[in-house]
Amino acid sequence: MNNLLTLLKSLNEKNEKDINKMIDENIICLDYLYDVVMNSNDDKLIYNVALYINNMSISKLEDALIKIGNPKVIYDFAYSVKGANIPKLEDAIIDSGNGHVIYNFAKNIKNANINKLENAITNLKDNSLITSFASLENANILKLENAIIESNDPFAICSFANAKNANIKRLEDAVVKINDAPGIYTFAHKVPSCNINRLQNAIIKTTNAFYIYLFAKNIKGVNTKILQDALIKLNDSNVLVLFARDIKDADILLIQDRIIKSNNIEAIYTFARDIKDADIPLLEDIIVNFGDLKYIYLFACNVKKANVSRLQDIIINTNDLEYIKKFKKEVISSSISEDFIESKINEEHQEKKIMNKLLTDIQLGNYKNIQANRDIYIKLLKK
C-alpha cells in the first residue's frame, strides 16, 4: 500500500494538526496528496481529508465523492464540511434514491431545498417517509397528504392524520372510500378528532363481523345497538359470542336465540361457557341433542351449572372408553370409579377377542363355528 495513503487513513481530529503541519513544512507534497486521495476511490478517506486538511479543493473532493455515489457519506460531507456545495450534494442525494438519506438531508442540512427534496420523497412513494417528512418545518402538508391518499393505504392515511395541520375530514373520506375494515377501525381508534358516527356506518358497510365487534368494544361513543343489529344480520355466531361476552349493553337473550338458530355447536358451547346470563339447561339440551361426545364432555368440564350427572350417564352409555376416561380425569365432580374404568377396559378387550375370532371364522369358511356362537356374534354386531 502507498505509504502516504496509509498515513491518510489514520487521519482524525487528534492528529490533523500534525498532518497539516507536515504539509505546511513540505514534508508531505500537497499535489501528491491530491493524486493519492483522488485515485483512492475511498469515499470515507475523501470525506476525512475534506474535513481535516486545510486548503483542499472542496469542489474536486465533492466531485470524487459524488462519482463513488455513497449517499450516506455524501450526506456526512454536506453536514460536516465547511464550504460544501449544498445544491450539488443535494442533487446527488436525490439521484441516489435513498429515501432515508433524502429525509435526513431535508431535516438536518441548513439551506436544503425542502420543496425539491419533498418531491423526491413523494416520487419514491414510501408512505412512512412521506409521513415523517410532514413533521419538517416548511413541509408542504397538502402535497404530502395528496401522496398519502393516492397510495390507497388506509394505515398510512391513519398515521398521516396525526401530522400537524393534516386535513382530518379529507383523510377520513379517503379511508371510508377504501372500505377496508381494519383501516376504518384503526382510524377511529387512533385519530381523536374523527367522526365516530360516520366511521361506525362505514365499518358496518364492510360486513366484516370481527371488526364490527372490535369497533363496539374499543371505540368510545359508538351505538352498540346499531352494531349489534348489524352483527345479527351477518349471522356470524362465533363473533356474536364475543359481542355478548364483552359488550356491556348486549342483548343476551336475543343473541342466544340467534346462536341457537345457527346450529353452530362450538358457538353454543362457548356461549354457555362464557356468558353469565346464558340459559344453561336449554343450551345443555341442545348440546345433548347434537350427540357430539367432544362437546358433551367439554360442557361438563367447563360450563358452570352444567348437569354433570346427566352428562356423565350419556358418556357412559356410549361405551366410548376414550371419553369415559377423559370424563373421569377432567370433570371434577365425576363419580366414575377406577373399577368401572377397569371393567370397561376388560369388556373392550373381550369384544376385540370375539371380533378377531369371527373374522378368522369368516376367512376360514368355518360357518359351523359361526352358528355355534350365533348369540354371541348377534350381541357383538349390534354394538
Side-chain angles (χ1 to χ4, degrees):
M1 181 184 286
N2 181 287
N3 291 327
L4 180 56
L5 185 60
T6 302
L7 177 65
L8 291 174
K9 282 183 178 291
S10 71
L11 179 61
N12 57 49
E13 61 183 350
K14 292 181 180 179
N15 61 24
E16 50 116 348
K17 288 184 179 179
D18 290 335
I19 293 177
N20 275 303
K21 192 173 181 181
M22 292 172 71
I23 294 170
D24 292 341
E25 295 178 0
N26 293 320
I27 297 172
I28 297 174
C29 175
L30 190 59
D31 290 338
Y32 182 53
L33 185 149
Y34 262 121
D35 290 340
V36 169
V37 171
M38 300 300 271
N39 291 322
S40 70
N41 203 37
D42 185 328
D43 49 12
K44 292 181 181 178
L45 174 64
I46 294 169
Y47 164 68
N48 280 336
V49 166
L51 189 61
Y52 296 122
I53 301 300
N54 300 330
N55 302 317
M56 299 297 293
S57 171
I58 298 301
S59 179
K60 288 182 180 179
L61 294 172
E62 281 172 344
D63 290 340
L65 197 63
I66 290 168
K67 187 177 180 181
I68 296 170
N70 184 332
K72 291 182 180 179
V73 181
I74 295 171
Y75 164 80
D76 289 339
F77 197 101
Y79 185 82
S80 302
V81 176
K82 187 177 180 180
N85 186 329
I86 299 303
K88 180 164 70 172
L89 297 171
E90 185 173 82
D91 287 340
I93 290 289
I94 291 171
D95 290 342
S96 76
N98 187 313
H100 290 282
V101 178
I102 293 171
Y103 164 71
N104 284 327
F105 200 97
K107 180 181 179 183
N108 299 319
I109 304 301
K110 188 177 180 181
N111 298 323
N113 187 327
I114 298 297
N115 183 59
K116 195 173 184 180
L117 294 163
E118 192 171 66
N119 288 336
I121 284 288
T122 56
N123 288 337
L124 290 175
K125 301 186 185 303
D126 185 318
N127 291 330
S128 64
L129 289 173
I130 292 171
T131 300
S132 296
F133 209 98
S135 67
L136 300 183
E137 189 176 353
N138 299 321
N140 186 328
I141 297 298
L142 181 59
K143 183 196 298 182
L144 297 168
E145 189 171 271
N146 286 338
I148 285 289
I149 290 172
E150 287 169 8
S151 75
N152 223 35
D153 181 337
F155 297 102
I157 293 170
C158 291
S159 296
F160 195 90
N162 293 309
K164 187 178 179 181
N165 298 323
N167 187 326
I168 302 302
K169 186 181 182 306
R170 189 163 178 257
L171 295 166
E172 187 175 273
D173 289 344
V175 167
V176 169
K177 185 178 179 182
I178 294 168
N179 197 40
D180 176 78
I184 292 168
Y185 167 76
T186 302
F187 199 95
H189 195 253
K190 299 290 186 183
V191 182
S193 56
C194 65
N195 185 329
I196 295 298
N197 287 334
R198 185 183 185 207
L199 294 170
Q200 177 177 278
N201 292 333
I203 204 83
I204 290 170
K205 287 179 182 177
T206 68
T207 69
N208 186 315
F210 183 70
Y211 274 93
I212 292 172
Y213 148 71
L214 284 182
F215 205 95
K217 180 183 178 184
N218 297 322
I219 306 302
K220 293 180 180 179
V222 300
N223 187 319
T224 53
K225 186 180 183 307
I226 290 174
L227 294 166
Q228 178 180 275
D229 290 344
L231 282 177
I232 286 172
K233 287 178 183 178
L234 292 173
N235 203 31
D236 187 321
S237 51
N238 291 320
V239 174
L240 280 171
V241 173
L242 297 175
F243 193 95
R245 184 192 70 189
D246 295 334
I247 306 305
K248 183 180 178 181
D249 299 327
D251 187 331
I252 300 300
L253 289 178
L254 177 61
I255 293 173
Q256 178 176 272
D257 180 63
R258 291 292 175 164
I259 287 171
I260 290 170
K261 288 177 179 176
S262 75
N263 277 327
N264 182 331
I265 188 171
E266 181 183 5
I268 293 168
Y269 155 69
T270 307
F271 191 91
R273 185 193 67 191
D274 293 348
I275 308 305
K276 180 182 177 182
D277 296 325
D279 186 336
I280 301 303
L282 174 62
L283 298 171
E284 184 178 294
D285 286 343
I286 294 168
I287 290 289
V288 168
N289 288 336
F290 269 105
D292 188 315
L293 294 187
K294 173 186 173 182
Y295 285 99
I296 292 172
Y297 153 73
L298 287 173
F299 205 96
C301 195
N302 298 317
V303 176
K304 292 180 180 179
K305 300 181 182 179
N307 188 334
V308 173
S309 178
R310 175 198 187 197
L311 298 174
Q312 177 179 285
D313 289 344
I314 293 168
I315 291 286
I316 289 172
N317 289 335
T318 65
N319 287 315
D320 188 305
L321 187 56
E322 178 190 352
Y323 274 101
I324 292 172
K325 286 179 178 179
K326 288 178 78 170
F327 204 97
K328 172 175 174 45
K329 181 180 178 182
E330 301 294 340
V331 180
I332 295 173
S333 57
S334 169
S335 61
I336 298 172
S337 67
E338 288 292 347
D339 289 343
F340 181 81
I341 297 287
E342 187 65 30
S343 70
K344 284 294 179 182
I345 292 172
N346 291 335
E347 185 181 305
E348 187 177 81
H349 179 71
Q350 188 63 25
E351 284 182 0
K352 285 181 180 178
K353 202 172 174 183
I354 295 170
M355 190 66 200
N356 287 336
K357 187 176 183 307
L358 173 58
L359 292 171
T360 300
D361 287 342
I362 290 172
Q363 288 171 357
L364 297 175
N366 194 346
Y367 199 72
K368 285 184 179 181
N369 276 351
I370 295 174
Q371 287 179 317
N373 294 286
R374 184 175 184 273
D375 292 342
I376 295 172
Y377 289 152
I378 288 173
K379 184 178 179 182
L380 173 71
L381 294 174
K382 282 183 177 179
K383 289 189 175 181

